[in-house]
Amino acid sequence: MNIENIVPDFRLDMQGEPCPYPAFNALEAMKELKKGQILEVISDCPQSINNIPHDAKAHGYEVLNIDSSGPTIRYLIKK
Amino acid sequence: MNFWKNFKKNFLINFWSPIPAVIALGVLSAYYFGITGTYWAVTGEFTRWGGHILQAFNVDLSTWGYYQIMNMQGNSFTRVDGVMIIGMFAGCIAAAFWGNNVKFRLPSSKIRVFQALIGGIIAGFGARLGMGCNLASFFTGIPQFSLHAWIFTVAMIIGVYFGAKFTLLPMFRSKMKMQKVSCVKSLEKDETKINNFFTLGSLAFIAIIIWALYLIFFQNSTKLGMAMLFGSAFGLIIAKAQICFTSAFRDLFITGRSQMAKAIVLGMIVATIGVFSYIMMGQPAKIMWAGPNAIIGGLLFGFGIVLAGGCECGWMYRAVEGQVHFWIVGIGNVIGSTLLAFVWDDLSLSLATSWPKINLLESFGNYGGLFFNYGLLFLLFLLILILEKRYLNKSINR
């Protein structure tokens, strides 16, 4: 899915926080969303590439887009 | 030109998939043992760094029993473990700069600084008490058929459990809250910087290869040169695939993810047969005391790595990515391992050295020990599946 067509409803900016907090807070935040809403998670812990997408899918959410081209990674997750 | 662009993107810039990466680490670590006669390990060398720092302050180490065991001869450039770590750092630097993962990141709060330092100290102390970290007492220790590694691993998993509970106490939780937005956040993209970083990464990688080849072909230090090459491969792989041993069991308890834990067991499954074949050819196995030191060390280590957010090889690649948090963890590790060396002479007899070094290949015969180790690895894999299921059942019922 193209990034241009995605409009997030909420942003969780976790810059500066090490693992496991980005993944943990992202899952906690997703619980508060309504079905169909989109959360944008920003994390500069590169290790989150191995946990946020996996955990989001395992908990039943859809990962729409990941931009991991730089040190700060963006995840777009739909409930 | 397109071929190079694709190669660069797929292999040098993008992250690597973690599961094949860990299996590759297992294979490489077995070969490393065959060629150098030692296992892939890092904390022993950190302890020696602490020793050298003490020597710089004119402390006489000849009365410290732990440094007698650790073999303080030479320096980081003349020891197998030393050059391997230099290689690892170079591999981590190459991976971080190629992948544009470098960014100066300060800890978000004072509590994180406390976590990094205290967790690092506890982990460093526990690792050296248990004679190894996630490598020598787990990932590369279990394939050596040393019973101490199994004891350490079980204790570590328990320590990780308590560490996970502790780090999610309200005082440690992240204060970041989500905000209502209507567009994506734009991320910085500076092509010149990206290209410069890429060149830096290439320079680090080429330099370490030249250095290693120089050691092999011009210095006749084949073992050192090979250790350096292996180190650069280990560093490159852990950083490109963001391999985190700490997350393996921690996240089973926090989010129910089992991918990394399963990958590590698979890595040990391939390493075990490789190490076994070298032992059969006459390479002596690395066996440590199976005493209470492995239990206490494992508990402390498991708790410490979760509190710190990373273990002994985890902090290395994160430190070169510019994560100041992990510079502190690294310093903590060196402090903790030096503290252990300081108290070792008071503890060692009762906790470690009076206990036997149990080699499964001697206890059960060569093939008995081999299959016994595989039996235990199978049980560990089952345990991971059970923990994952337990978490997911609980979270569905919430």
Side-chain angles (χ1 to χ4, degrees), chain B residues 163-176:
Chain B
K165 289 273 170 254
F166 188 73
T167 48
L168 289 181
L169 289 173
M171 63 181 291
F172 293 113
R173 284 195 186 189
S174 177
K175 307 290 178 279
M176 311 283 190

Side-chain angles (χ1 to χ4, degrees), chain B residues 219-237:
Chain B
Q219 290 283 314
N220 281 333
S221 309
T222 44
K223 214 182 254 192
L224 290 181
M226 288 305 285
M228 193 178 265
L229 281 181
F230 269 98
S232 60
F234 292 141
L236 188 67
I237 294 171

Side-chain angles (χ1 to χ4, degrees), chain B residues 154-169:
Chain B
V154 172
M156 174 184 76
I157 295 170
I158 297 166
V160 164
Y161 173 81
F162 286 108
K165 289 273 170 254
F166 188 73
T167 48
L168 289 181
L169 289 173

Side-chain angles (χ1 to χ4, degrees), chain A:
Chain A
M1 193 160 174
N2 255 342
I3 186 88
E4 293 81 30
N5 313 332
I6 306 174
V7 181
D9 300 281
F10 295 97
R11 174 179 309 140
L12 177 66
D13 191 336
M14 294 297 292
Q15 288 185 76
E17 288 286 39
C19 290
Y21 301 104
F24 180 79
N25 282 44
L27 291 178
E28 292 295 299
M30 286 307 289
K31 289 179 191 166
E32 295 175 39
L33 266 61
K34 293 189 182 73
K35 186 97 187 107
Q37 286 188 315
I38 296 169
L39 175 71
E40 176 189 46
V41 183
I42 307 286
S43 170
D44 57 7
C45 165
Q47 222 273 303
S48 64
I49 197 77
N50 286 336
N51 53 41
I52 291 179
H54 274 270
D55 291 336
K57 279 182 209 147
H59 287 74
Y61 310 123
E62 188 188 352
V63 180
L64 301 177
N65 180 282
I66 301 172
D67 181 346
S68 61
S69 58
T72 308
I73 304 175
R74 175 203 296 118
Y75 305 90
L76 288 157
I77 306 163
K78 184 174 168 187
K79 186 161 185 175

Side-chain angles (χ1 to χ4, degrees), chain B residues 340-391:
Chain B
L340 182 272
F342 181 69
V343 296
W344 175 254
D345 293 314
D346 302 323
L347 308 173
S348 59
L349 194 64
S350 53
L351 296 183
T353 49
S354 60
W355 293 77
K357 292 185 172 183
I358 297 175
N359 178 346
L360 296 175
L361 299 181
E362 285 169 4
S363 308
F364 299 101
N366 286 337
Y367 284 87
L370 177 69
F371 285 101
F372 186 79
N373 219 26
Y374 273 126
L376 290 177
L377 282 166
F378 178 72
L379 288 177
L380 181 61
F381 201 83
L382 276 185
L383 173 74
I384 292 164
L385 295 181
I386 291 164
L387 289 173
E388 176 188 38
K389 202 168 163 44
R390 203 178 127 250
Y391 176 92

Side-chain angles (χ1 to χ4, degrees), chain B residues 43-185:
Chain B
T43 43
E45 188 62 18
F46 296 163
T47 318
R48 294 187 196 107
W49 291 357
H52 289 314
I53 292 168
L54 291 173
Q55 283 171 328
F57 285 98
N58 291 326
V59 177
D60 177 19
L61 298 183
S62 61
T63 54
W64 295 44
Y66 203 78
Y67 288 116
Q68 308 309 314
I69 309 173
M70 292 313 293
N71 193 356
M72 291 289 291
Q73 269 114 24
N75 57 46
S76 287
F77 300 102
T78 61
R79 286 189 296 252
V80 167
D81 289 348
V83 290
M84 193 283 292
I85 286 183
I86 294 171
M88 260 178 93
F89 270 118
C92 292
I93 291 168
F97 281 86
W98 280 341
N100 187 26
N101 279 329
V102 180
K103 174 184 163 188
F104 188 73
R105 309 157 173 91
L106 283 166
S108 59
S109 63
K110 283 197 185 77
I111 201 128
R112 295 283 181 261
V113 175
F114 159 84
Q115 276 177 267
L117 186 65
I118 304 297
I121 291 174
I122 295 172
F125 187 92
R128 291 327 306 164
L129 179 60
M131 302 313 290
C133 59
N134 263 326
L135 298 172
S137 289
F138 177 42
F139 188 68
T140 57
I142 285 176
Q144 291 285 335
F145 304 94
S146 179
L147 184 66
H148 98 281
W150 278 110
I151 298 171
F152 184 93
T153 299
V154 172
M156 174 184 76
I157 295 170
I158 297 166
V160 164
Y161 173 81
F162 286 108
K165 289 273 170 254
F166 188 73
T167 48
L168 289 181
L169 289 173
M171 63 181 291
F172 293 113
R173 284 195 186 189
S174 177
K175 307 290 178 279
M176 311 283 190
K177 290 272 173 273
M178 65 178 183
Q179 309 134 333
K180 187 88 191 78
V181 292
S182 53
C183 65
V184 294
K185 190 182 176 83

